[in-house]
Amino acid sequence: MQVIRDNMKGTLAVVVVLMFVVPMVLSGIGTSFLGGPAGGKVATVDGRAISNNELARAVYMQKQRLLSQEGVDPSADYLKDENLRGPVLQQLIRRTALIASAEDSGVGVSDTTINKTILDQQSFHTDGKFDKQAYRRVLSGVGYTPATFKASLSEDLLISQIASGIQASSFVTPAELDAIVSVVGEARSFEMIKIPASAIGEDLEPTTEEISAYYYDNQTTYLDPEKMSIEYVELSVDDLAKHEVIAEADIRAQYDQEIAAFDSTPEVEIAHILIEDGDGASDKLAELQSKLDAGEEFDALVENYSDDIGSKSSKGYLGLLTPGAFPEQFAPAVADLNEGQVSAVVKTDAGSHILKVVKKTIKNAPSFEDRKDAIKAQLARATAEEAYFEMLEELGDLTYSAEGLRTASTELGLTIKESEEFTRASGTGIASNKVVRDAAFNPVVVSEGQNSQAIEISADKAVVLRKKTHSPERIKALDEVKEQITALLREKMKQEKLQSLAEAFIADLKNGADTKEKADEAKYEYSAHDKVKRTDVTVDRSALRQVFAMPAVDGKSFKAEVDMSGGYLVTVLTEVVAGTRTDLPPQQLFGMTAQLKRENGQFENASYEADVVEKAEAKFN
């Protein structure tokens, strides 16, 4: 089971984990995604149909996965159903082909495994126990019935079983292990020479002709995108609420309504000892009652007497006494008890219970002063919401075909605001909203100079905007980018001169010069390193990366590249010693073997899946 869980994917990973589904279910979002024709099929794979409902559900869930990622724009084109359908359908075809192949091979999943997987999912639990109502509620939120979910879960476990079997049967040959060890345990000897930027010894300055030539050869680099700024008026419920005057009498009336509806029933947390019906139950109950009457502690008696396995390890604790969550006999039995007191025997279908009040919280109605500000804000917002919709319509009327925003501003008491410049792709403030940018660059606004329509940018906020400034796309003038180009050319000239020095240094070494003597002569920094491993902590990490990226050849090899300090780094590789198993600690060798086996298994499983999909017969409707 653990192997299966580790390899879960598809419906099980997406639906059961329910990282984004549960909040939607709780907020009332149901199966609205099941639009389109409920029946029919979109494709058939090896005789198995993919229905419109399956595709609609998969598209919806893929969209929710993407929306759950940070920084995703909900209005992005790639999130539209029509753009998701194609890739999602291909995923469903792949999945269906794998299921068909597994079933044709005689692989199956037992009902016991499926049921246990469902029962173990915390998303379907209430107070630590599987809850059928929660199970049905969550499934309905994503368009499943228990039957269709169980069938889909069975298919996902089937795919996981195949993947687990392939990966479990994977192995590593001695030759494979030796090959990887020879690289991982490799040691290299090398010399390093640092040519500092100061070795150039002269000021570098590009000519006017060079600057001009670079500019004209790279003009598209200096493209300034189309920009504009806007004037706008903003209508929002929050702003309207700030100016609403709420009478004290109205606040008092609302408070009185709250007090009239206030539920002062105490909150009670309970524990119990359950004696199940059966032979000896009466004697056991009498013995328990006797010990309680004698003053023995309830908590101490739970473990020896309670038949409720789920709660006996926690002193019989059941939690908050919530209507509908416990037998109806519990509430009246503890109604008049105080904290720590124990009830008389309570009979239910489960047996005989003795209840203890663990904690009792008396709820006191809040005072008027405690609630005054909150009620005032609540009433102000309610009034503002009514005014908002009336003013929104009026805002549209006042700005339609108007010369500007002044009339609407005066009539509705709205401030005319201005934005910073923004492009079609990005902006700040109000222009950070894509809906606003799209409206601003609408030809009616940007070319004809008219006001936009009233744009609702959220459920309680709308804007009307008009062009303030507009700059078409253009190539920046040379004077605007001259300093930038000059700095770029200076750096390029510096690197070219340093590269020439490095190449000349390497040429001398190839002609027989001694590396250290040559470095000392040129006053370059020199260092030598003998049989260094990849994991050596005494050598600079960037230098190590360069050394171990060099090809292993007979004799010496050379490499020159820009140093992080701005100079040039010349590396002379003098010796490469392949690693052996004896070079590695047993734990590292074991981990390497396990990792190689896992990677082989993943590759083999990917190859198997690709082969199955390639051979599958898919027909589209």
Side-chain angles (χ1 to χ4, degrees):
M1 278 300 298
Q2 188 57 48
V3 174
I4 291 175
R5 290 195 184 101
D6 290 342
N7 290 281
M8 282 182 193
K9 50 189 173 181
T11 305
L12 187 59
V14 177
V15 178
V16 177
V17 176
L18 299 168
M19 293 179 67
F20 54 84
V21 171
V22 171
M24 289 189 293
V25 172
L26 295 179
S27 62
I29 299 177
T31 57
S32 59
F33 62 89
L34 292 176
K41 54 190 177 183
V42 290
T44 304
V45 182
D46 289 341
R48 294 176 61 97
I50 299 174
S51 70
N52 280 298
N53 274 0
E54 285 181 90
L55 179 57
R57 182 189 297 116
V59 167
Y60 173 80
M61 294 173 69
Q62 173 67 357
K63 182 184 293 186
Q64 298 310 312
R65 272 195 296 269
L66 295 171
L67 286 172
S68 68
Q69 299 172 9
E70 186 175 350
V72 172
D73 181 357
S75 62
D77 284 344
Y78 71 89
L79 288 175
K80 293 179 179 177
D81 286 2
E82 59 268 27
N83 294 329
L84 289 172
R85 278 177 62 89
V88 170
L89 179 57
Q90 290 302 315
Q91 293 170 10
L92 287 177
I93 289 172
R94 182 182 187 86
R95 178 178 183 274
T96 306
L98 293 173
I99 292 166
S101 175
E103 290 180 343
D104 291 344
S105 302
V107 180
V109 181
S110 69
D111 284 343
T112 301
T113 298
I114 297 169
N115 292 336
K116 188 174 189 308
T117 302
I118 292 172
L119 291 172
D120 286 346
Q121 291 303 317
Q122 295 300 311
S123 303
F124 303 143
H125 285 205
T126 300
D127 294 332
K129 297 180 181 179
F130 181 78
D131 185 335
K132 287 184 179 180
Q133 291 183 347
Y135 174 57
R136 291 178 179 273
R137 183 176 65 248
V138 171
L139 294 190
S140 68
V142 284
Y144 279 107
T145 66
T148 57
F149 174 69
K150 190 173 181 179
S152 187
L153 176 57
S154 173
E155 293 172 346
D156 285 314
L157 288 173
L158 187 65
I159 295 173
S160 295
Q161 224 169 234
I162 293 288
S164 299
I166 292 173
Q167 293 185 25
S169 63
S170 179
F171 59 90
V172 178
T173 66
E176 285 179 307
L177 184 59
D178 287 339
I180 193 73
V181 167
S182 69
V183 175
V184 173
E186 187 180 87
R188 295 192 169 199
S189 299
F190 56 95
E191 299 170 299
M192 301 202 84
I193 303 92
K194 290 187 176 181
I195 304 176
S198 58
I200 298 172
E202 58 182 293
D203 293 330
L204 304 173
E205 193 67 33
T207 64
T208 301
E209 290 75 15
E210 288 172 326
I211 295 171
S212 180
Y214 185 89
Y215 169 75
Y216 286 109
D217 288 342
N218 299 274
Q219 278 190 317
T220 55
T221 306
Y222 304 106
L223 192 66
D224 195 20
E226 180 184 18
K227 296 177 184 176
M228 71 180 300
S229 64
I230 57 173
E231 295 180 331
Y232 64 97
V233 288
E234 184 177 69
L235 178 67
S236 77
V237 172
D238 285 343
D239 287 342
L240 293 175
K242 292 175 184 177
H243 299 94
E244 291 291 343
V245 177
I246 306 300
E248 183 89 1
D250 292 335
I251 300 174
R252 174 67 69 176
Q254 179 64 29
Y255 172 76
D256 290 342
Q257 288 183 26
E258 289 185 3
I259 295 303
F262 182 76
D263 181 8
S264 60
T265 305
E267 289 184 347
V268 179
E269 295 177 41
I270 60 171
H272 80 149
I273 298 175
L274 169 65
I275 307 296
E276 293 180 343
D277 294 335
D279 294 341
S282 297
D283 293 339
K284 186 178 180 181
L285 184 60
E287 183 179 321
L288 170 62
Q289 188 66 63
S290 175
K291 290 190 176 185
L292 286 169
D293 292 343
E296 291 194 32
E297 287 293 329
F298 179 94
D299 294 355
L301 296 171
V302 173
E303 187 172 349
N304 291 330
Y305 285 91
S306 184
D307 292 325
D308 181 1
I309 298 174
S311 68
K312 68 188 305 180
S313 61
S314 55
K315 300 178 182 179
Y317 184 74
L318 296 177
L320 188 65
L321 183 57
T322 306
F326 296 100
E328 60 183 13
Q329 298 93 328
F330 278 18
V334 299
D336 297 326
L337 299 181
N338 294 320
E339 279 189 15
Q341 290 186 322
V342 175
S343 74
V345 176
V346 179
K347 291 289 293 181
T348 70
D349 292 341
S352 300
H353 309 255
I354 294 180
L355 308 176
K356 175 187 174 182
V357 176
V358 177
K359 184 178 181 181
K360 190 170 188 176
T361 304
I362 306 298
K363 296 188 290 184
N364 296 314
S367 69
F368 177 73
E369 290 302 320
D370 288 339
R371 288 289 300 150
K372 181 178 179 180
D373 290 344
I375 292 174
K376 182 179 179 181
Q378 175 187 335
L379 293 176
R381 184 168 182 84
T383 305
E385 286 175 350
E386 293 179 8
Y388 171 80
F389 291 107
E390 294 178 3
M391 292 177 67
L392 180 59
E393 185 175 353
E394 192 175 354
L395 175 62
D397 292 340
L398 290 171
T399 54
Y400 180 74
S401 297
E403 289 297 323
L405 303 173
R406 184 63 56 192
T407 301
S409 168
T410 303
E411 293 288 332
L412 300 177
L414 302 176
T415 301
I416 298 177
K417 302 176 183 178
E418 298 178 355
S419 76
E420 298 292 330
E421 275 194 327
F422 56 89
T423 67
R424 291 178 183 269
S426 65
T428 59
I430 191 73
S432 63
N433 189 305
K434 184 177 183 298
V435 175
V436 171
R437 297 197 304 273
D438 289 346
F441 281 101
N442 187 300
V444 170
V445 175
V446 74
S447 300
E448 299 176 22
Q450 296 184 25
N451 294 332
S452 72
Q453 296 180 342
I455 309 158
E456 292 191 76
I457 57 177
S458 68
D460 58 3
K461 185 180 293 186
V463 298
V464 174
L465 57 86
R466 67 182 289 107
K467 178 180 69 178
K468 180 188 175 190
T469 63
H470 176 254
S471 304
E473 182 181 79
R474 68 184 183 94
I475 293 174
K476 294 180 181 178
L478 175 58
D479 287 345
E480 294 179 79
V481 296
K482 185 176 180 179
E483 288 187 12
Q484 181 181 347
I485 294 175
T486 301
L488 187 149
L489 291 179
R490 282 195 196 112
E491 182 62 25
K492 183 179 178 183
M493 294 167 70
K494 184 186 82 170
Q495 293 302 322
E496 287 173 350
K497 284 189 172 290
L498 285 170
Q499 184 177 357
S500 296
L501 290 176
E503 290 172 351
F505 188 91
I506 290 173
D508 287 342
L509 297 185
K510 288 181 177 180
N511 289 329
D514 180 80
T515 308
K516 186 174 188 316
E517 290 180 1
K518 191 67 182 174
D520 289 344
E521 178 186 325
K523 296 182 180 180
Y524 298 157
E525 183 182 333
Y526 169 87
S527 61
H529 307 273
D530 186 47
K531 294 183 175 61
V532 173
K533 296 286 187 72
R534 295 172 187 270
T535 55
D536 194 296
V537 295
T538 63
V539 181
D540 180 75
R541 294 303 304 169
S542 61
L544 274 182
R545 281 194 295 271
Q546 177 167 318
V547 168
F548 281 93
M550 295 174 67
V553 297
D554 292 334
K556 294 181 178 181
S557 61
F558 306 88
K559 187 174 184 179
E561 68 178 11
V562 178
D563 185 22
M564 292 181 66
S565 63
Y568 243 72
L569 186 66
V570 175
T571 304
V572 183
L573 181 60
T574 57
E575 183 183 18
V576 177
V577 181
T580 64
R581 298 191 199 184
T582 56
D583 295 331
L584 301 178
Q587 285 184 333
Q588 186 178 356
L589 193 62
F590 176 81
M592 192 178 298
T593 304
Q595 181 180 349
L596 190 57
K597 179 181 177 181
R598 185 165 54 251
E599 290 175 354
N600 283 349
Q602 291 171 349
F603 174 77
E604 289 160 7
N605 184 60
S607 297
Y608 159 77
E609 291 188 357
D611 183 61
V612 167
V613 174
E614 183 180 353
K615 293 177 179 177
E617 183 180 352
K619 297 179 180 179
F620 298 91
N621 291 359

